[in-house]
Amino acid sequence: MYRVRGQGRGKVTVVNFLVCASMIGEEARASRVSLASGPPGSRPPRYTRDPRKGDPGNNGFGTAVIIRTKPQAKKPAMYRVLILNDDYTPMEFVVTVIRKFFNKGPDEANSIMLHVHHHGVGECGVFTYEVAETKVTQVMDYARKHQHPLQCIMEKK
């Protein structure tokens, strides 16, 4: 339950309700408030004026309604995993690495390997930071284990 401070008819009231109403005649009017102690990044309470005409004791504030806003999760930064060309690593080994660690088919792995061979660098995939870091480490360890100088890096997309 959230505490909301609101004003109705010139006095300050504190309520422990999700919705509170101030009746004027037979008509209820509402102002909107965002959550005071909501999820991280939520705004502090904000009252919008509810202009009512013809009520001399009215100061423009009426009913407070709490609106629960869903927190907007930011999309994680994506990183490209790149294999760099060298003169010593066999092409078959590069294809094996691409198939084993990046789950590519034989044709796609061969295409990436040829791109690395002709252009000096080839993109094997785009991942979140943790996954990209793991892939780079796995490829580098595997290359060292098989005594190849293959280089694998990641860069922010």
Side-chain angles (χ1 to χ4, degrees):
M1 222 177 258
Y2 299 95
R3 290 176 62 108
V4 178
R5 285 187 174 266
Q7 290 183 338
R9 295 202 180 253
K11 63 178 181 174
V12 176
T13 58
V14 177
V15 292
N16 286 323
F17 300 85
L18 291 180
V19 178
C20 62
S22 171
M23 299 294 286
I24 298 177
E26 295 180 16
E27 186 179 344
R29 307 214 183 218
S31 295
R32 297 183 179 274
V33 184
S34 56
L35 291 175
S37 58
S42 65
R43 298 180 189 157
R46 181 177 46 113
Y47 294 92
T48 52
R49 294 188 143 267
D50 184 15
R52 295 183 213 147
K53 298 177 183 172
D55 189 1
N58 179 22
N59 60 3
F61 290 99
T63 306
V65 178
I66 296 178
I67 298 175
R68 293 180 187 235
T69 57
K70 291 185 179 181
Q72 296 294 325
K74 290 187 344 184
K75 290 185 179 179
M78 301 304 280
Y79 290 81
R80 298 170 46 191
V81 177
L82 307 171
I83 289 183
L84 305 179
N85 190 30
D86 63 71
D87 294 333
Y88 303 103
T89 305
M91 292 181 179
E92 295 80 22
F93 182 77
V94 175
V95 170
T96 304
V97 165
I98 294 169
R99 292 188 68 192
K100 180 175 181 132
F101 296 105
F102 300 99
N103 299 320
K104 304 292 184 184
D107 293 336
E108 192 174 1
N110 197 35
S111 173
I112 293 171
M113 178 274 299
L114 288 174
H115 192 274
V116 170
H117 183 68
H118 293 295
H119 297 98
V121 64
E123 181 180 298
C124 296
V126 179
F127 308 97
T128 60
Y129 179 82
E130 292 82 9
V131 174
E133 187 177 38
T134 302
K135 298 263 186 201
V136 168
T137 303
Q138 289 174 337
V139 169
M140 296 292 284
D141 290 346
Y142 188 75
R144 297 294 163 264
K145 180 179 173 186
H146 291 86
Q147 299 177 348
H148 293 294
L150 183 66
Q151 293 292 309
C152 186
I153 61 170
M154 63 186 224
E155 70 176 25
K156 196 169 187 175
K157 188 169 181 177

